[in-house]
Amino acid sequence: MEDEPPSTDSKRESLWQRLKNRLCPCRIRSVEQTKHLVRHAADAEVFPVSTAGLIDSVLDFHELRVRDVMVPRGQMDVIEDSATLSDILSAAIESGHSRYPVIRANRDEVIGILLIKELMRFFADREEGGDSETFDLLALVRTPMFVPESKRLDALLAEFRLTRTHMAIVLDEFGGVAGLVTIEDVLEEIVGDIDDEFDVEERVNIRQQAPRRHTVRALTPISEFNAAFGTDFSDDEYDTIGGLVSNTLGHLPRRGEVARLGSYEFKVLGADRRRLHLLLVTKLDFEPTEEGSDDESEGQ
């Protein structure tokens, strides 16, 4: 049986599609074309440059993963399940967070999330001379949300909104705790850094994790790093230790990359497409030299 000829409607639709394609040559086929159009609109003062920046951030947002913005495991402020009311109060005053992961044996065993506002009635009872022995931390913690570090940020933001959750525990590919992420971390990728009243205070840029190992914020001034480690890195060209590491590698580092400066190894713990966030600094047992590197290569 012969095939039926195409209907008049399909011919008309095809003709309309071809006509539309011919009369509308400015079709957008990529994100880069969209960004170009946004920049052109900003230059023409269709909307402010600040709005163009927000649109650019939104266009890049879908490519970001949780691993790009999370707080690494070593930087997590946590509360142990055996903590007393006074212990928690001291921790909240020191760090200023409104939520804390509650752990049992170690940081791989997160049993819940504690909201500091849940403790207000206990503080009020204590001020009035009430009995603080009725305090039960485990009765106050909320079930934690766990997300893989490969999860897209746009999907995470949608999940945060759907579940009305503000914090999630990030798991690595082996099921261990890799860090945590908050809704603020996600939103900052669109609107930039969001500082609150606690961020006005000086942040801790350098934290010791082991006798020869420290986590260092990338924005740490080189002068502060030199004072803490007894080094003499120059700050003539770069002001921050992150800038120095980026210059050493010759590009904006990615998470996991390693650079060596003098007798120190710098491993990137946190970075995104626009900036470096956190470094793991390890003191080496030796200072690499050009001659030593050649010998090692020959031995291999």
Side-chain angles (χ1 to χ4, degrees):
M1 190 172 81
E2 295 182 359
D3 294 336
E4 296 182 3
S7 66
T8 305
D9 290 341
S10 63
K11 284 183 177 179
R12 186 178 304 160
E13 182 179 356
S14 177
L15 177 61
W16 168 248
Q17 187 66 38
R18 291 198 302 270
L19 182 61
K20 185 174 67 171
N21 292 342
R22 179 171 298 179
L23 295 178
C24 302
C26 298
R27 289 174 299 159
I28 297 175
R29 296 184 177 87
S30 68
V31 172
E32 288 305 318
Q33 287 181 342
T34 306
K35 289 183 177 181
H36 178 75
L37 183 61
V38 169
R39 289 191 292 268
H40 183 71
D43 292 340
E45 299 184 352
V46 175
F47 43 66
V49 175
S50 58
T51 302
L54 287 174
I55 296 174
D56 271 355
S57 298
V58 171
L59 293 173
D60 290 333
F61 189 63
H62 75 285
E63 297 182 358
L64 295 174
R65 306 284 174 167
V66 170
R67 68 170 68 93
D68 297 320
V69 303
M70 71 179 186
V71 176
R73 169 193 173 113
Q75 291 289 96
M76 289 169 44
D77 290 319
V78 299
I79 292 176
E80 296 183 358
D81 62 344
S82 59
T84 64
L85 188 61
S86 298
D87 294 335
I88 299 173
L89 176 60
S90 299
I93 292 175
E94 180 180 354
S95 61
H97 300 313
S98 59
R99 293 171 174 79
Y100 292 87
V102 178
I103 64 172
R104 181 159 287 154
N106 53 59
R107 291 174 184 250
D108 276 325
E109 194 173 355
V110 178
I111 61 175
I113 303 296
L114 175 66
L115 276 62
I116 293 300
K117 68 178 182 180
E118 300 281 2
L119 306 180
M120 293 299 102
R121 60 188 177 91
F122 293 100
F123 296 143
D125 290 343
R126 190 171 66 172
E127 290 295 326
E128 295 173 2
D131 185 9
S132 61
E133 293 183 0
T134 59
F135 172 71
D136 183 3
L137 174 59
L138 298 184
L140 299 176
V141 298
R142 303 189 178 191
T143 303
M145 175 194 292
F146 294 98
V147 299
E149 59 180 354
S150 59
K151 192 180 186 72
R152 293 205 324 265
L153 285 194
D154 53 356
L156 177 61
L157 181 57
E159 189 171 352
F160 273 153
R161 296 180 62 187
L162 182 65
T163 60
R164 298 183 179 181
T165 304
H166 286 239
M167 175 183 287
I169 304 301
V170 183
L171 302 179
D172 60 24
E173 58 182 322
F174 304 107
V177 173
L180 64 82
V181 62
T182 67
I183 193 170
E184 181 178 309
D185 297 325
V186 177
L187 293 176
E188 283 184 336
E189 290 304 310
I190 300 176
V191 300
D193 292 340
I194 303 173
D195 292 332
D196 58 25
E197 59 272 20
F198 293 103
D199 292 326
V200 175
E201 300 294 331
E202 184 178 358
R203 295 184 181 183
V204 178
N205 288 327
I206 301 172
R207 289 191 180 184
Q208 183 171 3
Q209 305 297 335
R212 304 171 66 85
R213 183 171 295 181
H214 297 73
T215 50
V216 179
R217 294 181 66 238
L219 292 178
T220 303
I222 293 177
S223 57
E224 181 180 342
F225 185 92
N226 287 338
F229 292 91
T231 53
D232 58 353
F233 296 133
S234 173
D235 57 359
D236 292 338
E237 295 185 32
Y238 301 93
D239 296 326
T240 66
I241 198 66
L244 187 61
V245 171
S246 298
N247 178 64
T248 301
L249 291 173
H251 59 270
L252 182 62
R254 295 183 178 180
R255 185 170 177 267
E257 286 195 78
V258 175
R260 287 186 177 180
L261 292 170
S263 57
Y264 288 88
E265 178 185 85
F266 296 80
K267 182 177 181 179
V268 179
L269 293 182
D272 58 33
R273 289 160 53 94
R274 293 177 292 180
R275 59 186 180 272
L276 193 57
H277 294 289
L278 191 67
L279 299 163
L280 178 64
V281 180
T282 303
K283 179 70 167 67
L284 303 175
D285 293 329
F286 62 92
E287 184 164 347
T289 61
E290 199 171 308
E291 182 179 352
S293 300
D294 294 340
D295 293 341
E296 184 178 350
S297 300
E298 291 176 4
Q300 291 176 348

